[in-house]
Amino acid sequence: MKPLFNKNILVGIGGGIAAYKVPELVRHLRDAGATVRVVMTQAATAFITPLTLQAISSNPVYTELFDPSMEAGMGHIELSRWADAVLIAPATANLMARLAIGLADDLLTTLCLATSAPLCLAPAMNHLMWAAPATRANRDLLLERGVRMFGPNEGKQACGEVGLGRMEEPVDLVRSLETLFTPPLLAGQRILVTAGPTREAIDPVRFLSNRSSGKMGYAIASAAMAMGARVTLVTGPTGQPFPRVTTRINVLSAREMQEAVLSQIDACDIFIACAAVADYRPIAAASQKIKKRGEHSLTLVLEHTDDILTAVNNLSHRPFTVGFAAETDQLELNALDKLRHKGMDMIVANWVGGNIGFESDDNALQVYWEGGKYELDCAPKVKLAYSILEIIAERFQSKHVSSMTISESKIALSR
Ligand code: PMT
């Protein structure tokens, strides 16, 4: 069965040159079995005529918020209820900004506010506009609210410049849309995620910690929920808004994080250790605030914290485990060493110390497992989280299938 068969797809067109590709998009959607209705902004009509879209979609095209003839049939509320998904292509910088602040000043933005159907954007704009801080902030806000971004792609632009900002090709947009109607990849899986830093007390007012903001771990927890998993989040102190998860446990120290993880581990299929857990803590925290007494230096004696991942990997019935490696040098070598040393199934490695990795909204990642690797280019953490989980789902499934095959063959041998 084709995923888009009998689905109602509302295509919104923004005012950009990539609008000329929308007839091809509509044709592919109809070939995939979808019914398509088109809504255009005023600016879009400068690039392509409603008549063209009407002919290709075999349906009336809508452009006006206040249209007496429409209110009798397909007004903005009816259109927003009719849609199984809304795809805006091209989504211009202006349209993204209006959606981010919740403006309802034309038919398209109004029905986007009114719909409960998934909203997908295919951004297309000059690469500098896409990179502008305002557009990046709007994109991140929309992603956080659950809006899907398809693209943009890198390449030659209408203005003659080269960069990130080309609209995804129509056939790829159809493929991306199909994923909305296929069962979620992690449906039914129980995932335990750790996130953020830990704090190791020096005295009642001071602690040792690190620069982890929790953004990467929270993005993974949110994406796992969106992909159908039941998520338990064990988080250190971050100051970020908490993501919506099934269960959340707040902790402060590495010891508390370990206790929380071990109390939940039996009820999880996949463990993702994204937290930046302290490797050392003061041997004993002073019970009173340490006073300044005029010495030039103060010596703190530290001890190793227990390694949470290793403790999990040593359990007799352990989940599929994924660790992170934060490195300032020899990324691949150190990540592979940790993968083997700590006995995990997969490791996600990132450079830290510069302007990505810790604290930033973006990251670039290398994913390793025995016999394989995958590179994820610099992108928002909220987007990377989905790619990481897709790789995890694939590796988890292949491990599961091969272990089933082994036990099935054992049964066959014993007969
Ligand atoms: O939070 P952000 O600001 O968004 O930044 C994201 C991040 C950089 C923190 C994240 O992407 C990341 O790399 N997290 C792991 C950081 C880290 O502690 O790396 P490590 O190389 O020191 O540890 C390797 C692995 O062992 C990690 O999975 C860690 O959770 C785990 N570990 C470490 C120490 C310990 N005592 N127990 C552990 O389980």
Side-chain angles (χ1 to χ4, degrees):
M1 168 77 98
K2 294 175 175 179
L4 291 177
F5 184 74
N6 266 348
K7 293 288 181 288
N8 292 335
I9 307 300
L10 196 146
V11 174
I13 311 182
I17 181 64
Y20 82 91
K21 292 183 180 172
V22 179
E24 191 188 339
L25 169 66
V26 173
R27 186 173 56 76
H28 285 308
L29 287 170
R30 294 195 65 201
D31 288 348
T35 304
V36 180
R37 287 181 187 270
V38 177
V39 171
M40 300 175 71
T41 64
Q42 269 309 318
T45 61
F47 291 92
I48 187 158
T49 69
L51 200 59
T52 308
L53 274 313
Q54 182 171 314
I56 303 261
S57 68
S58 294
N59 270 316
V61 170
Y62 309 92
T63 54
E64 301 296 331
L65 179 56
F66 302 113
D67 179 346
S69 63
M70 243 179 89
E71 292 308 320
M74 276 271 167
H76 62 275
I77 297 296
E78 281 87 341
L79 273 173
S80 63
R81 286 196 190 133
W82 171 86
D84 292 313
V86 177
L87 169 62
I88 301 186
T92 59
N94 176 281
L95 201 41
M96 285 176 62
R98 290 194 289 141
L99 292 171
I101 57 170
L103 268 192
D105 59 350
D106 65 4
L107 178 60
L108 184 54
T109 49
T110 305
L111 69 84
C112 285
L113 275 186
T115 192
S116 57
L119 177 58
C120 312
L121 305 188
M125 64 196 75
N126 170 272
H127 64 106
L128 294 174
M129 293 173 77
W130 176 249
T135 309
R136 287 158 61 98
N138 291 333
R139 170 200 69 186
D140 290 350
L141 186 62
L142 291 167
L143 282 168
E144 262 164 41
R145 288 186 195 146
V147 173
R148 273 90 162 171
M149 294 283 163
F150 301 157
N153 287 345
E154 181 114 31
K156 188 148 189 216
Q157 304 206 268
C159 55
E161 293 174 12
V162 175
L164 195 62
R166 277 173 66 90
M167 191 172 85
E168 254 195 10
E169 292 306 319
V171 63
D172 295 325
L173 287 176
V174 173
R175 234 173 264 141
S176 301
L177 207 56
E178 282 176 344
T179 61
L180 295 185
F181 300 101
T182 37
L185 211 51
L186 294 171
Q189 301 299 348
R190 298 162 305 170
I191 300 191
L192 177 56
V193 182
T194 65
T198 63
R199 285 182 185 172
E200 309 305 323
I202 297 172
D203 67 18
V205 295
R206 303 183 180 96
F207 52 79
L208 294 176
S209 192
N210 59 64
R211 288 173 49 202
S212 171
S213 63
K215 287 179 185 171
M216 190 71 246
Y218 286 11
I220 290 174
S222 292
M225 288 291 289
M227 290 167 81
R230 290 173 55 79
V231 178
T232 299
L233 172 67
V234 176
T235 174
T238 66
Q240 298 289 322
F242 294 124
R244 189 184 60 81
V245 290
T246 317
T247 309
R248 174 169 49 79
I249 304 177
N250 295 343
V251 298
L252 281 178
S253 64
R255 190 177 274 128
E256 285 176 20
M257 186 168 275
Q258 177 167 14
E259 282 168 10
V261 166
L262 293 179
S263 74
Q264 302 294 315
I265 205 76
D266 285 345
C268 97
D269 306 301
I270 298 172
F271 173 47
I272 305 175
C274 186
V277 188
D279 290 320
Y280 292 94
R281 68 174 151 242
I283 277 192
S287 57
Q288 305 285 321
K289 182 181 170 195
I290 299 172
K291 304 282 184 304
K292 201 160 57 177
R293 291 208 179 84
E295 300 95 337
H296 285 301
S297 62
L298 170 73
T299 304
L300 284 177
V301 183
L302 306 179
E303 65 178 359
H304 256 299
T305 56
D306 291 339
D307 195 278
I308 303 172
L309 257 171
T310 308
V312 170
N313 286 328
N314 285 339
L315 295 171
S316 50
H317 292 290
R318 72 168 184 88
F320 185 90
T321 54
V322 181
F324 270 69
E327 306 296 339
T328 53
D329 62 295
Q330 306 207 66
L331 186 78
E332 178 159 355
L333 196 76
N334 289 328
L336 287 174
D337 185 55
K338 281 176 187 163
L339 176 76
R340 288 166 193 153
H341 226 82
K342 302 195 185 196
M344 47 186 129
D345 295 291
M346 219 177 98
I347 192 154
V348 183
N350 45 189
W351 293 105
V352 290
N355 55 3
I356 54 168
F358 280 116
E359 292 173 308
S360 63
D361 290 340
D362 296 337
N363 211 354
L365 301 165
Q366 313 275 345
V367 187
Y368 301 97
W369 59 93
E370 275 313 334
K373 86 179 231 186
Y374 209 97
E375 195 166 324
L376 296 169
D377 291 338
C378 188
K381 287 176 178 171
V382 281
K383 193 167 180 191
L384 283 172
Y386 284 91
S387 309
I388 296 170
L389 288 165
E390 278 164 16
I391 302 170
I392 291 175
E394 197 210 295
R395 301 303 318 151
F396 173 72
Q397 217 186 354
S398 78
K399 184 174 176 183
H400 198 65
V401 167
S402 63
S403 67
M404 271 190 38
T405 315
I406 290 165
S407 48
E408 275 162 12
S409 61
K410 274 187 191 152
I411 293 168
L413 276 174
S414 65
R415 275 192 188 139

